[in-house]
Amino acid sequence: MARIMVSGASGGIGSALVRALRQRDDEVIALGRDGARLAALDAQPVVLDLAAPESVAPALRSTGAERLDALVHAAGVAEFADVGSSTPESWARQLAVNLTGPAELTRTALPALRRAAGQVVFLNFWAGPTAKPHWAAYAASKFGLGALADALRAEEAAHGVRVTSVFPSCVATPLQRRLREGAGVEYRPGHLNQPEEVAELILTALDASPRTRVNELYLGLPPEGYPPGTPGS
């Protein structure tokens, strides 16, 4: 039985991953903003908002976890706007939740991960090295997350800590619904990746042999998915 910490556990992908881990009897520390949703999961709940990175260290101390087999970063926010309309508050929020918060969460968890020669999994986005119109802040945060993963992988190899970036395409979550409906695009969840598919891909990384280095995993849209250029695609 592994001990795994999941951020964004009150969201669509995070909660799907927590359920999958609990089905195989892994011990899960579930981090998220929504206490009611966390309480509904069969996991150790920790209410945490990555928009306030300074709150991460105290929250992790409360878990009492001295060893971690894995840390999965499933939290994320997206607020699409052109550069001329983006506010400093929007930039700060997306950079904090998508990049600075994960960096601080990783830093705080590293001693426990090193003791277990554990894994860190970052949930990124398949568009990776491209930034479309209205995506500047979100894309910048995800570019930075990729850099964080690459640097961490090189730094922690000597400690036996493995690092994987998972790049799913559009996923049927409440966030995706909000983005598409806000852009006037029909939300068709059946044409998107499902949270359970992303959870399965994360499990692929977690279940790899300790001698295996799974640096990146990608999950594309199904054939009937949205054409390139639609919001969030």
Side-chain angles (χ1 to χ4, degrees):
M1 181 177 69
R3 174 180 283 179
I4 300 173
M5 181 176 288
V6 180
S7 75
S10 55
I13 296 173
S15 60
L17 177 61
V18 171
R19 289 192 293 270
L21 292 169
R22 290 299 296 134
Q23 285 176 358
R24 58 191 216 172
D25 293 327
D26 286 329
E27 180 182 346
V28 181
I29 301 171
L31 313 179
R33 292 182 298 172
D34 192 320
R37 289 183 180 179
L38 292 179
L41 297 171
D42 181 20
Q44 178 182 348
V46 178
V47 177
L48 173 66
D49 187 354
L50 292 178
E54 67 277 5
S55 67
V56 168
L60 260 61
R61 283 197 295 269
S62 72
T63 68
E66 296 185 357
R67 289 175 59 90
L68 277 178
D69 294 288
L71 167 61
V72 180
H73 294 279
V77 296
E79 301 172 10
F80 292 125
D82 58 65
V83 174
S85 302
S86 297
T87 65
E89 292 78 14
S90 178
W91 274 92
R93 184 164 46 250
Q94 292 180 82
L95 288 170
V97 175
N98 297 343
L99 179 55
T100 312
E104 176 62 4
L105 180 54
T106 303
R107 183 193 71 81
T108 307
L110 267 180
L113 288 162
R114 288 169 177 169
R115 292 186 189 103
Q119 297 173 257
V120 181
V121 177
F122 293 97
L123 191 62
N124 209 303
F125 183 59
W126 76 277
T130 62
K132 298 178 181 178
H134 313 293
W135 288 32
Y138 178 73
S141 68
K142 290 299 186 178
F143 292 0
L145 192 67
L148 170 61
D150 291 344
L152 182 70
R153 184 180 302 114
E155 293 169 0
E156 293 301 315
H159 296 283
V161 175
R162 291 170 289 157
V163 179
T164 302
S165 287
V166 173
F167 296 85
S169 186
C170 308
V171 184
T173 63
L175 171 62
Q176 193 66 227
R177 175 190 291 274
R178 178 177 60 80
L179 292 173
R180 290 183 183 276
E181 291 180 347
V185 177
E186 182 185 1
Y187 177 66
R188 295 178 289 172
H191 289 223
L192 302 177
N193 296 136
Q194 300 304 304
E196 292 75 16
E197 292 177 298
V198 184
E200 183 178 350
L201 196 62
I202 293 170
L203 292 180
T204 298
L206 296 180
D207 291 343
S209 161
R211 293 189 297 274
T212 302
R213 296 293 183 265
V214 183
N215 294 347
E216 295 182 350
L217 288 171
Y218 289 80
L219 179 64
L221 276 174
E224 67 275 18
Y226 293 106
T230 55
S233 68

